[in-house]
Amino acid sequence: MDTPRPFTPRPEPLEEEPYGDYEGGELDAAAASVGSHRLKVPEPAPLTEHGPARVIAVANQKGGVGKTTSTINLGAALAEYGRKVLLVDFDPQGALSVGLGVQAHELETTIYNLLMERGAEIDDVIRSTNVEGMDLLPSNIDLSAAEVQLVTEVGREQALGRAIKPVLDRYDVILIDCQPSLGLLTINALACAEAILIPLACEFFSLRGVALLMDTIDKVQQRLNPDLKILGILATMFDPRTLHTKEVRQRVIEAFGGLVFEAVINRTVRFPETTVAGEPITTWASNSNGAHSYRLLAREVLAR
């Protein structure tokens, strides 16, 4: 008997699409509706060859800020622009894998095997997805044991970097979905990444936690990865009807200036629906505000 796909409760609708649908040529309007200014982001040029990959960690020690949702949908949007993308599920909860329709608890080989078993081949673990040009390195609860087992390993902070090194020339972008903590797994992601993308929910407690994350990034830059930089801060769970979310985003802009992406991810019932469907919003609701916002984000990422 097939195991039923986990069900994600559908929230009460806030509003189907706060700004309504709009055509693909109006992508900048999604950001300009709440941003301090309009940013013209060029269409990315097509590629004639792929690699080496740009490794980007999607991290924030606070849970529930949209890390996994952003990893999936940014990856899918980048693939739409002709980039070859690898998503790395580096959270023992396996939410990224489940969000792409993979029954994580049934997997025999995951990223855990790459980290802890000699002779494990990355090609035996990578899975294709329903999105053309986007692959997945899945995870499940087994990965939680790796954080304990790696403690005694030499070069423990570089374990993930060693695991993905064989495929760097195969992809254009590798996105690492980090767990909501600043433990050894997250340090591994930051140690091998070129840049970090920080999803930040537009609420006061999320804003308070950014200082701790910045301190961790500073330590990683000093001790493990001097080339690590902050790619940008992504405002998520934005509700244009509330003054609070607008104030939080404005405070983030005042604190971080140009690091804040113009793309803004609004609250919408579409995202829980995509989790149940096991596919990104760019294919589930292609013309929705959420899909257009992640396409705008993809253009910004490629332009930085």
Side-chain angles (χ1 to χ4, degrees), residues 80 93 96 137 166 186 216 227 236 251 289 294:
E80 281 190 359
Q93 297 181 58
L96 179 69
L137 198 53
T186 300
T216 300
D227 297 325
T236 64
R251 289 182 63 179
N289 284 354
Y294 276 110

Side-chain angles (χ1 to χ4, degrees), residues 212-226:
L212 183 58
L213 178 59
M214 293 299 179
D215 183 58
T216 300
I217 293 172
D218 185 59
K219 290 178 180 177
V220 170
Q221 289 171 329
Q222 292 179 22
R223 304 173 187 179
L224 296 170
N225 184 2

Side-chain angles (χ1 to χ4, degrees), residues 55-61 65-72 74-75 87-88 90 174-180 186 189-190 193 195-199 213 231 234 297:
V55 181
I56 300 172
V58 183
N60 190 328
Q61 81 276 10
V65 299
K67 289 189 299 295
T68 299
T69 297
S70 295
T71 303
I72 291 173
L74 172 58
L87 304 186
V88 178
F90 214 48
I174 295 178
L175 298 174
I176 306 172
D177 181 30
C178 300
Q179 65 177 158
T186 300
L190 298 182
I196 176 172
L197 189 155
I198 305 172
L213 178 59
L231 180 64
L234 174 66
L297 175 63

